[in-house]
Amino acid sequence: MFSTTRRFAVLLRFLCLGSLLALLSCLHAPGAAAADGPAGVGNEKRVAILYSMPLDFPATQLVEQGLREALSEKTPFAVQAFSEYLDLSRFRHESQRQALADLLRQRYGAAQIDLVIAVDVPATHFLIEHAQDVFPGIPVVVCDIPEPDKENILASSFGKRVSGVLEPAQVARELVTSAFRLKPQARHAVLIYGAFENDAVRAIVLRQAITALYPRVELLELGGLSIGEILDRCQKLPPDSLIFFSTLFVDAKGRFFVPREVIPSLANYSGCPIWGLYDSYFGSGVVGGPMVSMRLQGLAAGKIALRILSGRPAGEIPFNDGLDTKVTVYDWRQLDRFHLDENALPPDATVVYREATLWGRYRYYIIGAAILFTLQSALVIGLFVNLRQRKKAEIALRESQRELQTLAGRLISSQEGELSRLSREFHDDFVQRLAAVAIEIGTIELHTRPSDERARAGLVDAKEKIINLSEDMHALSRELHPSILKDFGLVRAVAALCRNFTDREGLDVACAFQGAFTDIPLDTALCLYRVIQEGLRNIVKHAQARHVDISLEGTDDRLVLVVRDDGKGFKPLCARLTPGIGLASMRERVQYASGDFAIQSEPGQGTVIHVSVPVGEERHAQAENPAGR
């Protein structure tokens, strides 16, 4: 392992080698940090920026960001910035600081530097010691300087040509006040700082703000100790303690630290809220509050630098009190961890790192689900209402069908009763009277003289016509009410009907019967008989058929009738628009018998009538629920 002295010597060799390149850069070409502006040697301003800490320090990065924002503004001249990261917390011995001064003198002695900016206390104190040798007569801007250190700067060799930005002590007082406002029951304030000169200077303002609360608040200082001692003592702090972390660049054992990286360890060991004065600590475990913004410090220093580069003497520009570099921001995670009341925050406070609530995370999903649920509920309600209306309509339709069926049954029964009465009148009255007339004519024929051939021929012709009329009326009586159904059954009645149509119309009608046809109710048999009768009439009237097949099949619970012809056929849909009632009459009769009626036909392909009616218990079940078919 190299000792600190040997490492410093190696570093100086590299810095010396780099100084030659820096001088060439200063004399011949603008660097990468040059701001936008008109080019030209006469319009170029060179600024040396001395940072106290390395580039990887968060505070250094934030100040540099603010400086570059200010120096990049458009001006009548170009700004060439040279950054030096002195790492003075590591190289703090006199010999090392002198070596750094010699190096800077070699680097910038031949270059014309228009302004020096010192960032933080160590760099400023370094200039107080070596400004006359390294940057003689050059105006100085200081940045990130605690307010109590201002008098020390004004008393230095460059006190007449210096301006800068201070860290206001008021921010420290506001920080302490806000901390005890959020946790009013706290009675101990723990001040933690390191063993470096910068640590001691920066702890002053926090110490003054805390002691102002005595005797209500007791101050416990953990400064100038090793990191191990600080953590051990943090474990033993009273539960009503608040920790105020200043800075810790170097501990009592000479170890170097990045202050921001110390805070998580303190948070793990102490269990108490931690407050810090600088926004570079934010997000590492501090609660927050009024803090000094490092970026705004750099931005304010850069604006002062531009005024000096524009020709304003540095000594005439008053120090910026730094109040405009204050930010008030809180870490919601720490507020929640220590149960600090968010309502007690200052009105201008900003709360960040707030964890989204269930509503905040999923509100769009929740809203979408709610809308979908509402739409689905509305749809379900609409379907339910529609279903109820449909059921009501079905019940009403079923009642209407039952009423229509009852009415149709009554009409059919009334029609059959009237046909039966007419049939009886024809058979018992008119046919008998015609028979009597025929007998009387026969008697007259017997008493007529044989010589009167003309009279006898007239009587014979009249008798034959009356006999034929009587036979026609007898046949009409059978058609009006087929008593053969009651006397001989359905099969013989259908067979007789087919023979009569064949004899009377000359139509070839073939009948086929299969199955059992016993115990067929009379109204069921009459229904099938009327369907066959009406079907044959329609075939004779419209089909122009030559052959008709009638098949009747009987099972235990149903009778199936099929009437098939080879006629010209028709379109069933068109038939419903015609004024005839033959098909409608057949359908109504079958429905009244709780059966099924179907007709199939196409032009040129004949017609098939299919009827299926129940018998026995099945008919009674369907009659009770006609809409269930």
Side-chain angles (χ1 to χ4, degrees), residues 490-544:
L490 177 63
V491 174
R492 295 184 65 177
V494 171
L497 178 64
C498 293
R499 287 193 300 272
N500 289 337
F501 261 86
T502 299
D503 295 340
R504 186 173 70 249
E505 304 293 344
L507 181 64
D508 183 14
V509 181
C511 296
F513 305 96
Q514 183 179 355
F517 299 96
T518 58
D519 299 330
I520 300 175
L522 181 60
D523 55 349
T524 302
L526 181 61
C527 170
L528 294 176
Y529 183 88
R530 291 299 189 192
V531 170
I532 296 173
Q533 188 181 50
E534 185 66 30
L536 290 175
R537 288 174 182 170
N538 289 339
I539 291 172
V540 171
K541 186 176 181 181
H542 304 290
Q544 300 177 5

Short mmCIF file of all heavy atoms in Angstrom, two decimals, residues 490-544:
data_model
loop_
_atom_site.label_atom_id
_atom_site.label_comp_id
_atom_site.label_asym_id
_atom_site.label_seq_id
_atom_site.Cartn_x
_atom_site.Cartn_y
_atom_site.Cartn_z
N LEU A 490 -111.56 -46.07 -38.12
CA LEU A 490 -110.83 -45.16 -39.00
C LEU A 490 -110.33 -45.84 -40.26
O LEU A 490 -110.43 -45.28 -41.37
CB LEU A 490 -109.65 -44.53 -38.23
CG LEU A 490 -108.74 -43.60 -39.02
CD1 LEU A 490 -109.53 -42.37 -39.49
CD2 LEU A 490 -107.54 -43.16 -38.17
N VAL A 491 -109.80 -47.04 -40.15
CA VAL A 491 -109.18 -47.70 -41.31
C VAL A 491 -110.22 -47.94 -42.40
O VAL A 491 -110.02 -47.61 -43.58
CB VAL A 491 -108.50 -49.00 -40.88
CG1 VAL A 491 -107.99 -49.77 -42.11
CG2 VAL A 491 -107.34 -48.69 -39.93
N ARG A 492 -111.35 -48.51 -42.04
CA ARG A 492 -112.36 -48.82 -43.03
C ARG A 492 -112.98 -47.54 -43.59
O ARG A 492 -113.33 -47.47 -44.79
CB ARG A 492 -113.44 -49.71 -42.43
CG ARG A 492 -112.89 -51.08 -42.03
CD ARG A 492 -113.97 -52.00 -41.53
NE ARG A 492 -114.93 -52.33 -42.57
CZ ARG A 492 -115.95 -53.16 -42.43
NH1 ARG A 492 -116.14 -53.76 -41.25
NH2 ARG A 492 -116.78 -53.41 -43.41
N ALA A 493 -113.08 -46.49 -42.75
CA ALA A 493 -113.64 -45.23 -43.23
C ALA A 493 -112.71 -44.59 -44.25
O ALA A 493 -113.17 -44.08 -45.29
CB ALA A 493 -113.86 -44.28 -42.06
N VAL A 494 -111.39 -44.63 -44.00
CA VAL A 494 -110.44 -44.05 -44.95
C VAL A 494 -110.41 -44.86 -46.23
O VAL A 494 -110.37 -44.30 -47.35
CB VAL A 494 -109.03 -43.97 -44.30
CG1 VAL A 494 -107.98 -43.58 -45.33
CG2 VAL A 494 -109.02 -42.98 -43.15
N ALA A 495 -110.47 -46.18 -46.09
CA ALA A 495 -110.47 -47.02 -47.29
C ALA A 495 -111.71 -46.74 -48.14
O ALA A 495 -111.63 -46.64 -49.38
CB ALA A 495 -110.41 -48.50 -46.89
N ALA A 496 -112.84 -46.59 -47.49
CA ALA A 496 -114.07 -46.29 -48.23
C ALA A 496 -113.98 -44.93 -48.90
O ALA A 496 -114.42 -44.75 -50.04
CB ALA A 496 -115.27 -46.36 -47.28
N LEU A 497 -113.38 -43.94 -48.16
CA LEU A 497 -113.22 -42.60 -48.74
C LEU A 497 -112.35 -42.64 -49.98
O LEU A 497 -112.66 -42.00 -51.01
CB LEU A 497 -112.63 -41.66 -47.69
CG LEU A 497 -112.35 -40.23 -48.13
CD1 LEU A 497 -113.67 -39.53 -48.50
CD2 LEU A 497 -111.64 -39.45 -47.04
N CYS A 498 -111.30 -43.43 -49.94
CA CYS A 498 -110.38 -43.52 -51.10
C CYS A 498 -111.10 -44.17 -52.28
O CYS A 498 -110.94 -43.74 -53.44
CB CYS A 498 -109.14 -44.32 -50.72
SG CYS A 498 -108.09 -43.50 -49.48
N ARG A 499 -111.88 -45.23 -52.02
CA ARG A 499 -112.60 -45.90 -53.12
C ARG A 499 -113.61 -44.95 -53.75
O ARG A 499 -113.75 -44.90 -54.98
CB ARG A 499 -113.30 -47.15 -52.60
CG ARG A 499 -112.34 -48.30 -52.30
CD ARG A 499 -113.12 -49.60 -52.11
NE ARG A 499 -114.09 -49.51 -51.02
CZ ARG A 499 -113.82 -49.79 -49.75
NH1 ARG A 499 -112.61 -50.19 -49.41
NH2 ARG A 499 -114.76 -49.69 -48.84
N ASN A 500 -114.31 -44.21 -52.91
CA ASN A 500 -115.30 -43.29 -53.44
C ASN A 500 -114.66 -42.22 -54.33
O ASN A 500 -115.20 -41.86 -55.38
CB ASN A 500 -116.07 -42.62 -52.30
CG ASN A 500 -116.99 -43.59 -51.58
OD1 ASN A 500 -117.39 -44.61 -52.15
ND2 ASN A 500 -117.34 -43.27 -50.34
N PHE A 501 -113.51 -41.66 -53.88
CA PHE A 501 -112.84 -40.66 -54.71
C PHE A 501 -112.36 -41.26 -56.01
O PHE A 501 -112.40 -40.63 -57.06
CB PHE A 501 -111.66 -40.03 -53.92
CG PHE A 501 -112.00 -38.71 -53.31
CD1 PHE A 501 -112.60 -38.64 -52.06
CD2 PHE A 501 -111.78 -37.52 -54.00
CE1 PHE A 501 -112.94 -37.44 -51.49
CE2 PHE A 501 -112.12 -36.32 -53.43
CZ PHE A 501 -112.71 -36.25 -52.17
N THR A 502 -111.87 -42.53 -55.94
CA THR A 502 -111.40 -43.18 -57.16
C THR A 502 -112.56 -43.37 -58.13
O THR A 502 -112.45 -43.11 -59.33
CB THR A 502 -110.74 -44.52 -56.84
OG1 THR A 502 -109.62 -44.29 -55.97
CG2 THR A 502 -110.27 -45.22 -58.11
N ASP A 503 -113.70 -43.83 -57.58
CA ASP A 503 -114.86 -44.07 -58.45
C ASP A 503 -115.43 -42.77 -58.97
O ASP A 503 -115.82 -42.69 -60.15
CB ASP A 503 -115.93 -44.83 -57.67
CG ASP A 503 -115.47 -46.23 -57.26
OD1 ASP A 503 -114.51 -46.73 -57.90
OD2 ASP A 503 -116.03 -46.77 -56.29
N ARG A 504 -115.52 -41.76 -58.12
CA ARG A 504 -116.19 -40.53 -58.51
C ARG A 504 -115.31 -39.61 -59.35
O ARG A 504 -115.78 -39.01 -60.31
CB ARG A 504 -116.65 -39.78 -57.25
CG ARG A 504 -117.49 -38.55 -57.59
CD ARG A 504 -118.08 -37.90 -56.36
NE ARG A 504 -117.10 -37.25 -55.53
CZ ARG A 504 -116.74 -37.66 -54.34
NH1 ARG A 504 -117.31 -38.75 -53.82
NH2 ARG A 504 -115.83 -37.04 -53.63
N GLU A 505 -114.00 -39.51 -59.04
CA GLU A 505 -113.14 -38.54 -59.72
C GLU A 505 -112.19 -39.18 -60.71
O GLU A 505 -111.52 -38.48 -61.46
CB GLU A 505 -112.31 -37.78 -58.67
CG GLU A 505 -113.14 -37.09 -57.62
CD GLU A 505 -113.98 -35.96 -58.15
OE1 GLU A 505 -113.70 -35.50 -59.29
OE2 GLU A 505 -114.90 -35.52 -57.47
N GLY A 506 -112.11 -40.54 -60.68
CA GLY A 506 -111.18 -41.21 -61.58
C GLY A 506 -109.74 -41.04 -61.16
O GLY A 506 -108.83 -41.18 -61.99
N LEU A 507 -109.49 -40.73 -59.90
CA LEU A 507 -108.13 -40.50 -59.38
C LEU A 507 -107.63 -41.77 -58.73
O LEU A 507 -108.35 -42.42 -57.94
CB LEU A 507 -108.16 -39.37 -58.35
CG LEU A 507 -106.83 -38.99 -57.72
CD1 LEU A 507 -105.87 -38.44 -58.76
CD2 LEU A 507 -107.05 -37.95 -56.61
N ASP A 508 -106.39 -42.17 -59.07
CA ASP A 508 -105.82 -43.39 -58.51
C ASP A 508 -105.33 -43.09 -57.09
O ASP A 508 -104.32 -42.42 -56.90
CB ASP A 508 -104.64 -43.85 -59.39
CG ASP A 508 -104.05 -45.17 -58.90
OD1 ASP A 508 -104.70 -45.83 -58.07
OD2 ASP A 508 -102.93 -45.50 -59.32
N VAL A 509 -106.07 -43.58 -56.11
CA VAL A 509 -105.74 -43.35 -54.70
C VAL A 509 -105.37 -44.69 -54.07
O VAL A 509 -106.21 -45.61 -54.06
CB VAL A 509 -106.90 -42.70 -53.94
CG1 VAL A 509 -106.49 -42.46 -52.48
CG2 VAL A 509 -107.30 -41.39 -54.61
N ALA A 510 -104.15 -44.82 -53.55
CA ALA A 510 -103.69 -46.05 -52.90
C ALA A 510 -103.57 -45.80 -51.41
O ALA A 510 -103.01 -44.80 -50.97
CB ALA A 510 -102.33 -46.48 -53.48
N CYS A 511 -104.11 -46.73 -50.62
CA CYS A 511 -104.06 -46.60 -49.15
C CYS A 511 -103.20 -47.70 -48.57
O CYS A 511 -103.25 -48.85 -49.04
CB CYS A 511 -105.47 -46.70 -48.57
SG CYS A 511 -106.57 -45.37 -49.10
N ALA A 512 -102.43 -47.34 -47.55
CA ALA A 512 -101.59 -48.32 -46.85
C ALA A 512 -101.72 -48.07 -45.36
O ALA A 512 -101.64 -46.92 -44.90
CB ALA A 512 -100.13 -48.18 -47.30
N PHE A 513 -101.94 -49.15 -44.58
CA PHE A 513 -102.10 -49.03 -43.14
C PHE A 513 -101.10 -49.94 -42.44
O PHE A 513 -100.88 -51.08 -42.88
CB PHE A 513 -103.54 -49.42 -42.75
CG PHE A 513 -104.59 -48.62 -43.49
CD1 PHE A 513 -105.18 -49.13 -44.65
CD2 PHE A 513 -104.98 -47.38 -43.03
CE1 PHE A 513 -106.14 -48.40 -45.31
CE2 PHE A 513 -105.94 -46.65 -43.69
CZ PHE A 513 -106.53 -47.15 -44.85
N GLN A 514 -100.49 -49.41 -41.39
CA GLN A 514 -99.49 -50.18 -40.66
C GLN A 514 -99.61 -49.88 -39.17
O GLN A 514 -99.74 -48.72 -38.76
CB GLN A 514 -98.07 -49.81 -41.14
CG GLN A 514 -96.96 -50.62 -40.47
CD GLN A 514 -95.58 -50.24 -41.01
OE1 GLN A 514 -95.49 -49.43 -41.93
NE2 GLN A 514 -94.56 -50.83 -40.44
N GLY A 515 -99.55 -50.92 -38.35
CA GLY A 515 -99.62 -50.72 -36.91
C GLY A 515 -100.99 -51.02 -36.36
O GLY A 515 -101.88 -51.57 -37.03
N ALA A 516 -101.13 -50.61 -35.08
CA ALA A 516 -102.38 -50.88 -34.37
C ALA A 516 -103.25 -49.64 -34.38
O ALA A 516 -102.76 -48.52 -34.22
CB ALA A 516 -102.08 -51.31 -32.92
N PHE A 517 -104.59 -49.86 -34.59
CA PHE A 517 -105.52 -48.73 -34.65
C PHE A 517 -106.71 -48.97 -33.73
O PHE A 517 -107.85 -48.68 -34.07
CB PHE A 517 -106.00 -48.54 -36.09
CG PHE A 517 -104.90 -48.23 -37.06
CD1 PHE A 517 -104.32 -49.25 -37.81
CD2 PHE A 517 -104.44 -46.94 -37.22
CE1 PHE A 517 -103.30 -48.96 -38.71
CE2 PHE A 517 -103.42 -46.66 -38.11
CZ PHE A 517 -102.84 -47.67 -38.85
N THR A 518 -106.42 -49.50 -32.57
CA THR A 518 -107.49 -49.74 -31.61
C THR A 518 -107.55 -48.61 -30.60
O THR A 518 -106.54 -47.94 -30.33
CB THR A 518 -107.23 -51.07 -30.88
OG1 THR A 518 -105.97 -51.00 -30.23
CG2 THR A 518 -107.25 -52.24 -31.85
N ASP A 519 -108.71 -48.41 -30.03
CA ASP A 519 -108.93 -47.40 -29.00
C ASP A 519 -108.53 -46.01 -29.45
O ASP A 519 -107.90 -45.23 -28.72
CB ASP A 519 -108.15 -47.76 -27.72
CG ASP A 519 -108.60 -49.09 -27.14
OD1 ASP A 519 -109.78 -49.43 -27.32
OD2 ASP A 519 -107.76 -49.77 -26.52
N ILE A 520 -108.87 -45.68 -30.70
CA ILE A 520 -108.60 -44.34 -31.21
C ILE A 520 -109.78 -43.46 -30.86
O ILE A 520 -110.93 -43.78 -31.21
CB ILE A 520 -108.38 -44.35 -32.73
CG1 ILE A 520 -107.19 -45.24 -33.08
CG2 ILE A 520 -108.16 -42.94 -33.26
CD1 ILE A 520 -106.98 -45.39 -34.57
N PRO A 521 -109.54 -42.33 -30.17
CA PRO A 521 -110.66 -41.43 -29.84
C PRO A 521 -111.37 -40.97 -31.11
O PRO A 521 -110.75 -40.79 -32.17
CB PRO A 521 -109.98 -40.27 -29.11
CG PRO A 521 -108.69 -40.84 -28.59
CD PRO A 521 -108.26 -41.86 -29.60
N LEU A 522 -112.68 -40.78 -31.00
CA LEU A 522 -113.48 -40.43 -32.17
C LEU A 522 -113.05 -39.08 -32.74
O LEU A 522 -112.99 -38.92 -33.96
CB LEU A 522 -114.97 -40.40 -31.79
CG LEU A 522 -115.94 -40.07 -32.93
CD1 LEU A 522 -115.82 -41.10 -34.05
CD2 LEU A 522 -117.38 -40.00 -32.41
N ASP A 523 -112.74 -38.09 -31.87
CA ASP A 523 -112.37 -36.79 -32.40
C ASP A 523 -111.01 -36.85 -33.10
O ASP A 523 -110.78 -36.14 -34.09
CB ASP A 523 -112.34 -35.74 -31.29
CG ASP A 523 -111.44 -36.15 -30.14
OD1 ASP A 523 -110.99 -37.30 -30.11
OD2 ASP A 523 -111.18 -35.28 -29.27
N THR A 524 -110.10 -37.73 -32.63
CA THR A 524 -108.81 -37.90 -33.32
C THR A 524 -109.02 -38.55 -34.67
O THR A 524 -108.44 -38.14 -35.70
CB THR A 524 -107.85 -38.74 -32.46
OG1 THR A 524 -107.66 -38.11 -31.20
CG2 THR A 524 -106.52 -38.93 -33.16
N ALA A 525 -109.85 -39.57 -34.72
CA ALA A 525 -110.14 -40.23 -35.99
C ALA A 525 -110.82 -39.27 -36.96
O ALA A 525 -110.51 -39.22 -38.16
CB ALA A 525 -111.01 -41.46 -35.75
N LEU A 526 -111.77 -38.47 -36.44
CA LEU A 526 -112.44 -37.49 -37.28
C LEU A 526 -111.46 -36.47 -37.83
O LEU A 526 -111.56 -36.04 -38.98
CB LEU A 526 -113.55 -36.81 -36.48
CG LEU A 526 -114.38 -35.76 -37.23
CD1 LEU A 526 -115.09 -36.40 -38.43
CD2 LEU A 526 -115.37 -35.10 -36.29
N CYS A 527 -110.48 -36.06 -37.00
CA CYS A 527 -109.46 -35.09 -37.45
C CYS A 527 -108.69 -35.64 -38.64
O CYS A 527 -108.54 -34.97 -39.67
CB CYS A 527 -108.53 -34.77 -36.28
SG CYS A 527 -107.06 -33.81 -36.75
N LEU A 528 -108.18 -36.88 -38.52
CA LEU A 528 -107.41 -37.47 -39.62
C LEU A 528 -108.29 -37.68 -40.85
O LEU A 528 -107.86 -37.47 -42.00
CB LEU A 528 -106.80 -38.79 -39.17
CG LEU A 528 -105.74 -38.69 -38.06
CD1 LEU A 528 -105.27 -40.07 -37.63
CD2 LEU A 528 -104.55 -37.86 -38.53
N TYR A 529 -109.53 -38.10 -40.64
CA TYR A 529 -110.46 -38.31 -41.77
C TYR A 529 -110.68 -37.01 -42.52
O TYR A 529 -110.67 -36.99 -43.77
CB TYR A 529 -111.77 -38.88 -41.24
CG TYR A 529 -112.76 -39.21 -42.33
CD1 TYR A 529 -112.75 -40.46 -42.94
CD2 TYR A 529 -113.72 -38.27 -42.73
CE1 TYR A 529 -113.66 -40.76 -43.95
CE2 TYR A 529 -114.63 -38.56 -43.73
CZ TYR A 529 -114.59 -39.81 -44.34
OH TYR A 529 -115.49 -40.10 -45.33
N ARG A 530 -110.92 -35.90 -41.78
CA ARG A 530 -111.16 -34.62 -42.43
C ARG A 530 -109.93 -34.13 -43.18
O ARG A 530 -110.04 -33.51 -44.24
CB ARG A 530 -111.58 -33.58 -41.39
CG ARG A 530 -112.95 -33.82 -40.77
CD ARG A 530 -114.05 -33.79 -41.80
NE ARG A 530 -115.36 -33.80 -41.16
CZ ARG A 530 -116.49 -34.01 -41.81
NH1 ARG A 530 -116.46 -34.27 -43.12
NH2 ARG A 530 -117.65 -34.00 -41.18
N VAL A 531 -108.73 -34.39 -42.60
CA VAL A 531 -107.50 -33.97 -43.29
C VAL A 531 -107.38 -34.71 -44.62
O VAL A 531 -107.05 -34.13 -45.66
CB VAL A 531 -106.27 -34.23 -42.39
CG1 VAL A 531 -104.97 -34.04 -43.18
CG2 VAL A 531 -106.28 -33.28 -41.20
N ILE A 532 -107.62 -36.04 -44.58
CA ILE A 532 -107.53 -36.81 -45.83
C ILE A 532 -108.60 -36.34 -46.82
O ILE A 532 -108.34 -36.16 -48.02
CB ILE A 532 -107.71 -38.31 -45.53
CG1 ILE A 532 -106.55 -38.81 -44.66
CG2 ILE A 532 -107.79 -39.11 -46.83
CD1 ILE A 532 -106.74 -40.24 -44.17
N GLN A 533 -109.78 -36.08 -46.30
CA GLN A 533 -110.88 -35.63 -47.16
C GLN A 533 -110.55 -34.29 -47.82
O GLN A 533 -110.72 -34.13 -49.04
CB GLN A 533 -112.16 -35.53 -46.32
CG GLN A 533 -113.41 -35.25 -47.12
CD GLN A 533 -114.62 -35.15 -46.20
OE1 GLN A 533 -114.58 -34.43 -45.20
NE2 GLN A 533 -115.69 -35.89 -46.54
N GLU A 534 -110.08 -33.32 -47.00
CA GLU A 534 -109.75 -32.00 -47.55
C GLU A 534 -108.57 -32.09 -48.49
O GLU A 534 -108.51 -31.39 -49.52
CB GLU A 534 -109.47 -31.02 -46.41
CG GLU A 534 -109.25 -29.60 -46.85
CD GLU A 534 -110.50 -28.98 -47.45
OE1 GLU A 534 -111.63 -29.36 -47.05
OE2 GLU A 534 -110.36 -28.11 -48.34
N GLY A 535 -107.59 -32.95 -48.15
CA GLY A 535 -106.42 -33.11 -49.01
C GLY A 535 -106.80 -33.65 -50.37
O GLY A 535 -106.33 -33.18 -51.41
N LEU A 536 -107.69 -34.65 -50.41
CA LEU A 536 -108.12 -35.21 -51.70
C LEU A 536 -108.90 -34.18 -52.51
O LEU A 536 -108.75 -34.09 -53.73
CB LEU A 536 -108.99 -36.45 -51.46
CG LEU A 536 -108.21 -37.68 -50.90
CD1 LEU A 536 -109.20 -38.79 -50.58
CD2 LEU A 536 -107.18 -38.15 -51.91
N ARG A 537 -109.72 -33.37 -51.84
CA ARG A 537 -110.44 -32.31 -52.56
C ARG A 537 -109.45 -31.34 -53.20
O ARG A 537 -109.64 -30.93 -54.36
CB ARG A 537 -111.35 -31.58 -51.60
CG ARG A 537 -112.58 -32.37 -51.17
CD ARG A 537 -113.35 -31.60 -50.12
NE ARG A 537 -114.51 -32.35 -49.63
CZ ARG A 537 -115.22 -32.01 -48.58
NH1 ARG A 537 -114.91 -30.89 -47.91
NH2 ARG A 537 -116.25 -32.75 -48.20
N ASN A 538 -108.42 -30.90 -52.43
CA ASN A 538 -107.43 -29.96 -52.97
C ASN A 538 -106.66 -30.58 -54.12
O ASN A 538 -106.33 -29.90 -55.11
CB ASN A 538 -106.47 -29.51 -51.88
CG ASN A 538 -107.12 -28.58 -50.87
OD1 ASN A 538 -108.16 -27.96 -51.17
ND2 ASN A 538 -106.55 -28.48 -49.68
N ILE A 539 -106.34 -31.88 -54.02
CA ILE A 539 -105.61 -32.54 -55.09
C ILE A 539 -106.44 -32.55 -56.36
O ILE A 539 -105.96 -32.27 -57.46
CB ILE A 539 -105.22 -33.96 -54.66
CG1 ILE A 539 -104.16 -33.90 -53.55
CG2 ILE A 539 -104.69 -34.77 -55.85
CD1 ILE A 539 -103.87 -35.25 -52.91
N VAL A 540 -107.72 -32.89 -56.21
CA VAL A 540 -108.61 -32.92 -57.38
C VAL A 540 -108.78 -31.53 -57.96
O VAL A 540 -108.80 -31.36 -59.19
CB VAL A 540 -109.97 -33.53 -57.00
CG1 VAL A 540 -111.00 -33.38 -58.13
CG2 VAL A 540 -109.82 -35.00 -56.63
N LYS A 541 -108.86 -30.54 -57.10
CA LYS A 541 -109.15 -29.17 -57.55
C LYS A 541 -107.93 -28.45 -58.11
O LYS A 541 -108.06 -27.70 -59.09
CB LYS A 541 -109.73 -28.38 -56.38
CG LYS A 541 -110.21 -27.00 -56.75
CD LYS A 541 -110.86 -26.33 -55.56
CE LYS A 541 -111.38 -24.93 -55.90
NZ LYS A 541 -112.01 -24.27 -54.72
N HIS A 542 -106.74 -28.66 -57.52
CA HIS A 542 -105.57 -27.85 -57.87
C HIS A 542 -104.37 -28.62 -58.39
O HIS A 542 -103.61 -28.09 -59.22
CB HIS A 542 -105.11 -27.04 -56.63
CG HIS A 542 -106.16 -26.19 -56.02
ND1 HIS A 542 -106.66 -25.06 -56.63
CD2 HIS A 542 -106.84 -26.30 -54.83
CE1 HIS A 542 -107.58 -24.49 -55.86
NE2 HIS A 542 -107.72 -25.24 -54.75
N ALA A 543 -104.14 -29.84 -57.93
CA ALA A 543 -102.84 -30.49 -58.15
C ALA A 543 -102.69 -31.07 -59.55
O ALA A 543 -101.55 -31.22 -60.02
CB ALA A 543 -102.62 -31.59 -57.12
N GLN A 544 -103.82 -31.45 -60.18
CA GLN A 544 -103.75 -32.12 -61.48
C GLN A 544 -102.90 -33.39 -61.37
O GLN A 544 -102.06 -33.70 -62.23
CB GLN A 544 -103.18 -31.19 -62.56
CG GLN A 544 -104.00 -29.94 -62.76
CD GLN A 544 -103.38 -29.00 -63.78
OE1 GLN A 544 -102.38 -29.34 -64.41
NE2 GLN A 544 -104.00 -27.85 -63.97
#
